[in-house]
Amino acid sequence: MQIIKDQKIVENTWTYIPDDTKLPAEISDITVSLSRWNEEYDKLEKYQGKVGIRINPDDSIESLPPSVMKAALIEVNFPVFTDGRSFSLAQLLRTRLKFKGEIRAVGQFMPDQIFYLSRVGVNSFALENQESLADAISMFDDFSDSYQASVN
Amino acid sequence: MYQYNDKDQTLIDERVAQFRGQTERFLRGEIGEDQFRALRLMNGLYIQTHAPMLRVAVPYGLLNSRKVRKLAEIARAYDKGYCHISTRQNVQYNWPELEKVPDILQELASVQMHAIQTSGNCLRNTTTDHLAGVAPDEIEDPRPYCEIIRQWTTFHPEFAYLPRKFKIAVSATTTDRAATQFHDIGVHLVKNESGDTGFRILAGGGLGRTPIIGKIIKPYLEKQHLLSYLEAILRVYNLHGRRDNKFKARIKILVKETGVEKFTEMVNAEWQQIKNGMELSEQRINDIKAHFAPPAYLTNADQDKSFALHKKQDSEFATWIKYNTADHKIAGYRAVFISLKAPDSPPGDITHTQLDAIADLSDQYSFGEIRTTHRQNLVLADVKQADLHQLWQNLNTLDLATPNIGTITDIICCPGLDFCSLANAGSIGITKQINEAIDNQDYIHDLGDIKINISGCMNGCAHQSVGHIGILGVDKKGVEWYQITLGGSSENEAAIGDRLGPAVAKEHVVKTITTILDVYIQQRLEDESFLNTVKRVGITPFKEQVYANH
Ligand code: SF4
């Protein structure tokens, strides 16, 4: 699968490991839920591959442990494209926690949302519809200016 | 009025291009129904019973003659020759074709207009007093702050997918003409003890199914913090507002369920984190204020003698002056209401010929500016008294001088069954019946200040819950019935109307209204207003009469 990262189409190397699935034996880049991150942090720290975290709209920034700053990737998940909480979560990851690493939108968001998402600090995008990638790239240029300060 | 700079123009041009692309992708089947729905709503486009409806933004109700001519042109070229003024001071077209909407938006952009964020779960058009800048009781012109808010809300990346729609209203006078207590956020310009102007902030007001009066969450906010404070409220709402139930998703429910104290604490905590660095500079405020500098008023306009003479000689003119004009802060000027409530036309509707004529009249008599009001009329805000008689004659020939502003026939009415797919009831038809039944002008004037609001369903687009008389269409087994409320008000003494009793059948609505009026006339003390009478005697006498013959 391909994703968009820093406005370029690149191969995805990351896999989300659901809570009821064991960590993979082979070394790879994985993300886990916030609860798993909290519960199995010792184990994850020892994992050979890179480890990231997936946060959901119900997770609050205040509830994130300090260790999230060490995450190699933070995914903000969209269960539905209309759930705008992920926009605020990304904004707060950047501005409040000063997270500098990769923030990736995953789930049911639309290509038409990537302009706003990038303005609140999301810098990579895992779009389910692989055919829309080229169109999506052009949407970073939808607007050449803005009325509010951007995170990036 | 505010004039776009290159950046403003570029942004709306880019928006047109973006929406054109989205519409094309939708028509090619590359965007799903649900996705396109969200995108088109943020560009003002609804799909209704008969056709799409396009809602054009009129930021804080301010237009000029060039814009009004363009609205007329669009009504001719893309619609059936007319459009409609909404209760949020916007303009609606009821018959555009989906494929043509990008072209309409392009036309609008050519006169610095757009339909951005006029629907959908996002930050909507900011509204204010239709007499802003000319009202004698004004602390400061609110429009520069409205414009600052407009820019901040436009394409705000974080708050485009809120739990529900979000509306902000600003008022700068002691008499609230912008219904700020019934908005998601109400902003009042106020002075503190040292005489500095700042803002009182209300949150959690709203109409619709659960009408709630907004609560003060910040008694005094220094000017420079306006945007950071709004941002703090929006962030708390975006993160914590309910998304599980559409009918509980407005900020009023969040404030109610959280408790106003806790909610205020949450906002203040967020605000402390962001206030430094988001300040509005004095320079920026002044730059925007310069766009709203007063026009070149004559200093001797009140020397004119003809006005008094015309009033004396022509009683019809005098009546029109009494009802359809308002005091102005400059001596010798008045603000003129153009009534869109002629008895035989749907409230708020206006034809392309009327629009063109009004544009010409505004150029001739009112510095080329026109305003829309939330009671669905128009205003020429700066007319010299010497011109009033001529203007009145012109408006009369256009059927735009019905002297009924603020009276019982100045009805606020939603589109109802005629256009809206959610409607239970034909609100426009009820308006027509009321007009036919109450057609004696002396009687109407004797009744004085009575506001009727009629909504075709629970969504309450015509704000029936704050009407002095509220009429709400409800569906009972496929038949239209009407729930009547009395004593609502959206002004200073904000109140939600009390239910009169069981809903009445369609054929009894007019009789019910006339009975209510009879009771008022029996009960009132001298020149006591309808609202005060209802307050004093309560609902019982009305109820007894209305249901006596049932
Ligand atoms: S009140 Fe109901 S019927 Fe009237 S316009 Fe609103 S949604 Fe439609």
Side-chain angles (χ1 to χ4, degrees):
Chain A
M1 177 182 164
Q2 292 188 312
I3 58 149
I4 297 171
K5 185 178 171 186
D6 299 326
Q7 307 203 16
K8 287 187 196 67
I9 298 176
V10 297
E11 279 309 315
N12 174 41
T13 62
W14 291 83
T15 313
Y16 175 68
I17 311 297
D19 287 355
D20 54 4
T21 306
K22 279 205 187 123
L23 298 185
E26 72 279 15
I27 298 171
S28 63
D29 300 343
I30 58 166
T31 57
V32 297
S33 72
L34 176 61
S35 55
R36 188 165 194 170
W37 176 278
N38 284 331
E39 280 157 28
E40 299 179 25
Y41 187 67
D42 294 342
K43 208 164 142 195
L44 291 166
E45 242 192 334
K46 291 188 202 103
Y47 184 72
Q48 294 286 311
K50 287 192 240 171
V51 186
I53 183 168
R54 171 173 292 194
I55 59 175
N56 277 295
D58 280 332
D59 299 328
S60 74
I61 288 292
E62 296 80 35
S63 71
L64 298 180
S67 58
V68 294
M69 298 303 281
K70 293 194 216 154
L73 168 72
I74 298 180
E75 293 178 333
V76 288
N77 185 35
F78 280 83
V80 285
F81 76 89
T82 49
D83 197 330
R85 287 177 290 181
S86 299
F87 289 83
S88 286
L89 292 174
Q91 169 86 21
L92 291 172
L93 284 170
R94 291 291 188 217
T95 57
R96 193 104 350 127
L97 301 187
K98 309 272 186 288
F99 181 77
K100 297 272 180 344
E102 180 177 347
I103 298 180
R104 178 177 298 185
V106 298
Q108 301 301 314
F109 66 100
M110 306 184 262
D112 301 83
Q113 289 175 305
I114 68 172
F115 180 81
Y116 285 175
L117 281 168
S118 68
R119 291 201 52 218
V120 296
V122 176
N123 70 319
S124 79
F125 304 87
L127 282 161
E128 294 198 341
N129 179 0
Q130 293 283 294
E131 279 162 31
S132 64
L133 292 188
D135 262 354
I137 290 262
S138 72
M139 292 177 199
F140 285 104
D141 302 324
D142 274 359
F143 297 97
S144 56
D145 208 332
S146 60
Y147 288 119
Q148 311 80 6
S150 293
V151 164
N152 290 338
Chain B
M1 74 188 293
Y2 184 74
Q3 297 298 324
Y4 280 10
N5 58 28
D6 289 347
K7 171 173 160 173
D8 299 308
Q9 189 65 48
T10 304
L11 280 170
I12 63 160
D13 290 344
E14 288 173 342
R15 177 62 155 205
V16 175
Q18 183 194 43
F19 188 63
R20 192 180 289 285
Q22 288 165 342
T23 306
E24 286 166 4
R25 280 161 56 222
F26 171 69
L27 293 171
R28 284 199 303 266
E30 293 167 23
I31 305 186
E33 256 331 308
D34 282 352
Q35 281 82 358
F36 185 63
R37 182 172 177 277
L39 299 170
R40 68 170 159 75
L41 286 176
M42 276 188 267
N43 287 284
L45 183 59
Y46 281 81
I47 306 291
Q48 302 200 115
T49 313
H50 305 289
M53 181 269 276
L54 180 68
R55 182 180 293 148
V56 176
V58 182
Y60 38 93
L62 198 53
L63 290 164
N64 61 20
S65 53
R66 200 168 143 236
K67 293 178 199 229
V68 168
R69 285 191 190 98
K70 182 57 85 179
L71 292 173
E73 198 184 311
I74 291 171
R76 267 191 302 274
Y78 298 93
D79 207 287
K80 296 189 176 179
Y82 69 98
C83 60
H84 175 80
I85 308 297
S86 83
T87 52
R88 287 198 55 75
Q89 300 180 289
N90 289 324
V91 169
Q92 295 180 178
Y93 290 101
N94 281 311
W95 307 96
E97 284 169 49
L98 173 68
E99 294 78 1
K100 300 266 177 66
V101 169
D103 296 337
I104 300 177
L105 296 178
Q106 195 162 344
E107 297 267 4
L108 289 168
S110 72
V111 294
Q112 308 189 351
M113 291 184 81
H114 60 75
I116 295 162
Q117 292 167 215
T118 52
S119 47
N121 296 332
C122 55
L123 290 159
R124 303 285 192 87
N125 185 28
T126 297
T127 52
T128 190
D129 183 1
H130 46 261
L131 298 179
V134 307
D137 61 340
E138 190 166 85
I139 290 171
E140 197 181 307
D141 190 342
R143 295 171 301 173
Y145 302 102
C146 292
E147 175 57 26
I148 287 169
I149 297 172
R150 179 194 76 81
Q151 296 188 14
W152 173 77
T153 55
T154 302
F155 309 144
H156 198 297
E158 190 181 339
F159 307 130
Y161 297 87
L162 296 169
R164 202 73 180 83
K165 57 189 169 184
F166 202 96
K167 301 171 178 179
I168 303 174
V170 185
S171 164
T173 49
T174 42
T175 318
D176 183 359
R177 278 177 292 261
T180 52
Q181 299 179 84
F182 290 104
H183 279 74
D184 297 285
I185 295 179
V187 178
H188 291 175
L189 271 86
V190 290
K191 281 203 191 304
N192 68 3
E193 283 133 27
S194 39
D196 299 324
T197 309
F199 308 103
R200 182 197 299 137
I201 309 286
L202 287 76
L207 295 167
R209 284 168 192 248
T210 323
I212 296 183
I213 296 172
K215 310 278 183 310
I216 297 174
I217 62 163
K218 187 88 184 156
Y220 186 82
L221 176 74
E222 286 94 18
K223 257 187 203 172
Q224 70 267 28
H225 295 308
L226 177 62
L227 296 184
S228 59
Y229 205 80
L230 295 181
E231 182 144 321
I233 298 174
L234 262 301
R235 187 164 296 139
V236 168
Y237 171 58
N238 191 37
L239 285 169
H240 301 284
R242 284 181 63 172
R243 290 173 188 266
D244 59 327
N245 179 343
K246 178 176 166 200
F247 301 118
K248 299 204 184 305
R250 296 287 292 267
I251 194 175
K252 61 190 174 188
I253 305 294
L254 175 66
V255 175
K256 195 173 146 205
E257 290 182 352
T258 317
V260 67
E261 276 165 33
K262 177 88 206 314
F263 175 81
T264 308
E265 258 171 47
M266 287 160 79
V267 169
N268 283 331
E270 180 60 34
W271 181 54
Q272 290 305 331
Q273 306 251 23
I274 58 174
K275 61 192 270 226
N276 297 326
M278 276 191 77
E279 294 91 344
L280 282 169
S281 68
E282 212 42 55
Q283 176 69 44
R284 165 125 175 85
I285 295 174
N286 288 336
D287 287 350
I288 301 283
K289 275 187 183 171
H291 287 274
F292 298 93
Y297 293 121
L298 295 184
T299 49
N300 59 353
D302 60 336
Q303 305 292 303
D304 155 79
K305 299 270 187 301
S306 67
F307 176 55
L309 205 65
H310 281 302
K311 270 205 297 189
K312 211 162 134 202
Q313 289 168 345
D314 189 338
S315 66
E316 268 186 58
F317 173 63
T319 303
W320 177 80
I321 290 288
K322 180 168 173 208
Y323 288 92
N324 288 25
T325 68
D327 290 343
H328 196 288
K329 65 177 183 192
I330 305 291
Y333 282 83
R334 295 191 73 75
V336 169
F337 288 87
I338 299 176
S339 172
L340 303 185
K341 309 292 175 66
D344 48 358
S345 92
D349 277 9
I350 185 162
T351 67
H352 66 104
T353 33
Q354 288 174 324
L355 285 166
D356 275 333
I358 288 169
D360 292 346
L361 291 173
S362 79
D363 281 337
Q364 203 175 345
Y365 297 119
S366 196
F367 301 98
E369 286 192 359
I370 302 102
R371 296 147 184 239
T372 54
T373 81
H374 81 277
R375 291 201 65 86
Q376 304 178 290
N377 294 302
L378 299 176
V379 168
L380 298 178
D382 301 291
V383 184
K384 332 193 256 303
Q385 64 183 44
D387 292 337
L388 285 165
H389 191 255
Q390 190 67 51
L391 173 61
W392 169 68
Q393 288 177 320
N394 282 311
L395 289 174
N396 235 341
T397 58
L398 294 162
D399 201 18
L400 292 170
T402 314
N404 63 349
I405 298 297
T407 73
I408 192 154
T409 56
D410 186 6
I411 296 174
I412 294 190
C413 174
C414 83
L417 275 179
D418 291 76
F419 297 102
C420 175
S421 48
L422 303 172
N424 295 323
S427 26
I428 295 177
I430 295 290
T431 303
K432 194 153 179 272
Q433 288 179 26
I434 294 175
N435 264 302
E436 281 160 7
I438 308 173
D439 63 348
N440 180 316
Q441 195 178 292
D442 292 337
Y443 178 61
I444 292 169
H445 289 157
D446 178 52
L447 290 168
D449 178 13
I450 303 186
K451 299 190 169 78
I452 297 190
N453 296 43
I454 309 178
S455 293
C457 81
M458 282 290 280
N459 288 321
C461 297
H463 311 160
Q464 81 290 344
S465 50
V466 292
H468 298 174
I469 300 176
I471 304 178
L472 166 66
V474 289
D475 175 274
K476 279 197 192 177
K477 301 199 179 89
V479 182
E480 287 175 44
W481 285 71
Y482 291 85
Q483 179 69 63
I484 314 285
T485 49
L486 296 184
S489 169
S490 64
E491 283 138 50
N492 289 39
E493 293 168 45
I496 291 151
D498 287 325
R499 221 179 245 210
L500 188 65
V504 299
K506 186 178 178 182
E507 57 276 20
H508 293 143
V509 174
V510 169
K511 179 75 188 131
T512 303
I513 301 302
T514 51
T515 308
I516 291 168
L517 299 177
D518 292 345
V519 176
Y520 162 57
I521 290 187
Q522 288 155 22
Q523 298 277 348
R524 73 176 165 192
L525 304 171
E526 289 173 50
D527 49 8
E528 187 179 43
S529 72
F530 176 77
L531 199 55
N532 285 336
T533 304
V534 174
K535 264 191 213 144
R536 183 174 54 79
V537 305
I539 204 147
T540 316
F542 295 93
K543 195 174 181 156
E544 281 170 2
Q545 278 295 321
V546 166
Y547 295 102
N549 345 330
H550 272 219

